[in-house]
């Protein structure tokens, strides 16, 4: 059995739903289908999830039922239903259900927001199931509540509770095709909770692990994963295979093709993930595998990713290395400010902490600096904003000589100053910190060194 997930652009219009139908019916192993909410049909279009977020914002602003916004969402589904020659059951249900949510909004805005946001996937799954049945293919819409997909109470950023995997095993018993809405599940208190944005990928992975799928096919709108962001480098190299570890590094650094948390659900089972293109299903796509299967000398480095808006605090204190507990106390200050840090490169008398810029309000930074001076007796503290991190990733670099040298030399030739350099013990990635202004030329220089 294969579990297939289709992203927003794959379900954006009636024509796309027909492609999904053709892909699923072309292979009898494709029996579990996870769907996103309809995405953009063209560049300036609005994703249904964003339309739903607009409904919530309007309600919170005015306190009134956002009738016009709800009607716009219903219209998206109505036009798809008409083109697919379906009844107006789903579009009517859309308007009714959304209105009911705003009539009884409850007292928690986060819970309301998740319930509304999740409806893009819910309506999408209902519509797709109806279409399959209208074409004579047995299909069911499966409610995550009925199926037992339980999530934590972290609304907007929930995680899957372990018992879900056992509950979802029986999804495989249905003798037709199961259409499952992505992105959300239920909390034990009975509320809808969503993953973070793009989270339908995670639903697909959870289902693939639960039914022990032979393959998790993740359909999107590109033929394969590229070694670098195509907005930075034109027509970059397509990579046929990544390992879980490589993809995790790249997804964390912003490769948007797969949600960062997707692989956590499948990595224990070793299920292979295949990224494929709904608009070109014949293309083999990119495989994400537990261990490298095909080792190609040319792809020792498999990806270069960059992410912006990091902040770095450099702390210096003479004889720091002798002071037991300095690092712990420094990180504790960050913990108490509820900051999740990313890296801590260090020297003998200096240590830097890097975290994402959204934590760094002027008030927070000034509190942190005060405390580090007072509580740790630091000699000097330096804060750098606009740090861009570039990660050079590849299993093939392990125990091989010269990769850091080549990447650094490429940066030097491009005139880029390296603010920090970090290589973890796994040896599958090298991290450079540079000023954000240099991002494009730095990424291009490193790409040309390894793929040019
Ligand atoms: N529809 C949700 C979003 O736009 C989840 C998803 O598509 O995976 O973020």
């Amino acid at each position: 059995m294969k579990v297939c997930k289709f992203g927003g652009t794959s379900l954006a219009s009636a024509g796309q739903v027909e492609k999904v139908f053709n892909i699923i019916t072309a292979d009898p192993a494709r029996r579990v289908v996870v769907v996103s909410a309809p995405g953009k049909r063209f560049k300036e279009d609005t994703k249904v999830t964003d339309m739903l977020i607009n409904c919530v914002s309007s309600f919170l602003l005015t306190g009134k039922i956002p009738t016009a916004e709800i009607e716009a969402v219903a219209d998206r589904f109505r036009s798809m239903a008409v083109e697919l020659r379906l009844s107006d059951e789903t579009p009517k249900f859309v308007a009714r259900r959304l209105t009911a949510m705003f009539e009884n909004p409850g007292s928690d805005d986060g819970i309301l927001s998740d319930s509304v946001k999740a409806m893009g996937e819910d309506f999408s799954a209902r519509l797709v199931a109806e279409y399959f049945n209208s074409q004579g293919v047995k299909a069911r819409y499966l409610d995550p509540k009925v199926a037992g997909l339980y999530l934590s109470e972290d609304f907007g950023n929930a995680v899957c509770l372990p018992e879900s995997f056992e509950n979802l095993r029986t999804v495989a018993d249905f003798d037709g095709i199961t259409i499952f809405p992505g992105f959300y599940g239920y909390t034990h208190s009975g509320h809808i909770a969503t993953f973070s944005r793009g989270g339908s990928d995670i639903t697909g992975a959870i289902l693939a692990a639960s039914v022990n799928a032979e393959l998790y096919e993740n359909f999107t709108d590109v033929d394969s994963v590229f070694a670098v962001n195509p907005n930075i480098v034109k027509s970059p190299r397509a990579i046929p295979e990544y390992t879980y570890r490589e993809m995790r590094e790249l997804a964390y650094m912003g490769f948007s093709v797969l949600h960062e948390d997707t692989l956590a659900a499948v990595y224990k089972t070793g299920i292979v993930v295949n990224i494929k293109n709904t608009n070109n299903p014949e293309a083999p796509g990119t495989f994400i595998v537990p261990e490298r299967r095909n080792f190609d000398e040319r792809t020792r480095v498999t990806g270069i990713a960059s992410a912006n808006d990091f902040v770095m605090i450099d702390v210096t204190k003479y004889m720091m290395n002798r002071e037991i507990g300095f690092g712990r106390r420094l990180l504790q200050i960050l913990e108490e400010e509820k900051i999740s840090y990313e890296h801590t490169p260090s020297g003998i008398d200096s240590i830097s902490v890097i975290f994402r810029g959204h934590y760094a309000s002027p008030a927070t930074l000034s509190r942190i600096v005060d405390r580090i001076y007072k509580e740790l007796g630091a000699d000097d503290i330096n804060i750098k904003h606009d740090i861009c991190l570039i990660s050079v990733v590849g299993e093939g670099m392990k125990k091989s000589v010269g990769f850091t040298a080549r990447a650094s030399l490429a940066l030097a030739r491009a005139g880029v100053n390296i603010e920090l350099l970090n290589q973890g013990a796994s040896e599958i990635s090298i991290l450079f910190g540079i000023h954000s202004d240099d991002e494009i030329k730095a990424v291009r220089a490193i790409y040309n060194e390894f793929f040019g």
Side-chain angles (χ1 to χ4, degrees), residues 344-367:
T344 52
S346 62
I348 47 168
D349 287 343
S350 69
I351 181 164
S352 305
V353 190
I354 296 164
F355 48 87
R356 299 208 184 244
H358 63 83
Y359 290 115
S361 72
T364 308
L365 286 181
S366 120
R367 264 198 314 271

Side-chain angles (χ1 to χ4, degrees), residues 15 110 139 157 208 217 221 277 295 347 358 361 364 399 406 428:
N157 193 21
E217 292 181 312
D221 53 7
N277 189 352
F295 194 78
H358 63 83
S361 72
T364 308
K399 308 218 166 19
R406 284 173 63 190
I428 73 156

Side-chain angles (χ1 to χ4, degrees), residues 38-98:
K40 291 185 180 194
R41 292 159 292 184
F42 42 89
K43 208 163 165 247
E44 299 74 27
D45 201 12
T46 310
K47 291 176 170 193
V48 165
T49 308
D50 291 318
M51 296 170 83
L52 292 164
I53 292 172
N54 284 342
C55 293
V56 179
S57 312
S58 158
F59 176 75
L60 294 179
L61 202 71
T62 63
K64 294 203 181 86
I65 295 180
T67 325
E69 288 85 353
I70 291 176
E71 209 27 55
V73 177
D75 258 350
R76 275 292 298 264
F77 287 98
R78 191 168 297 120
S79 63
M80 288 168 78
V82 168
E83 275 190 65
L84 293 168
R85 292 177 299 280
L86 300 175
S87 71
D88 60 356
E89 200 180 301
T90 301
K92 275 193 180 148
F93 178 74
V94 170
R96 260 202 328 272
R97 189 149 187 210
L98 288 175

Side-chain angles (χ1 to χ4, degrees), residues 284-329:
T286 294
F287 288 89
I288 304 168
V289 297
E291 299 297 333
R292 166 95 344 121
R293 299 184 297 194
N294 304 306
F295 194 78
D296 177 349
E297 209 29 62
R298 291 180 320 149
T299 51
R300 279 186 180 276
V301 172
T302 48
I304 296 155
S306 59
N308 263 303
D309 196 27
F310 288 90
V311 170
M312 177 153 91
I313 302 189
D314 301 330
V315 182
T316 6
K317 183 176 183 187
Y318 195 64
M319 300 294 275
M320 183 192 289
N321 72 319
R322 294 281 188 89
E323 221 177 290
I324 292 175
F326 191 95
R328 179 186 54 75
R329 283 184 288 146

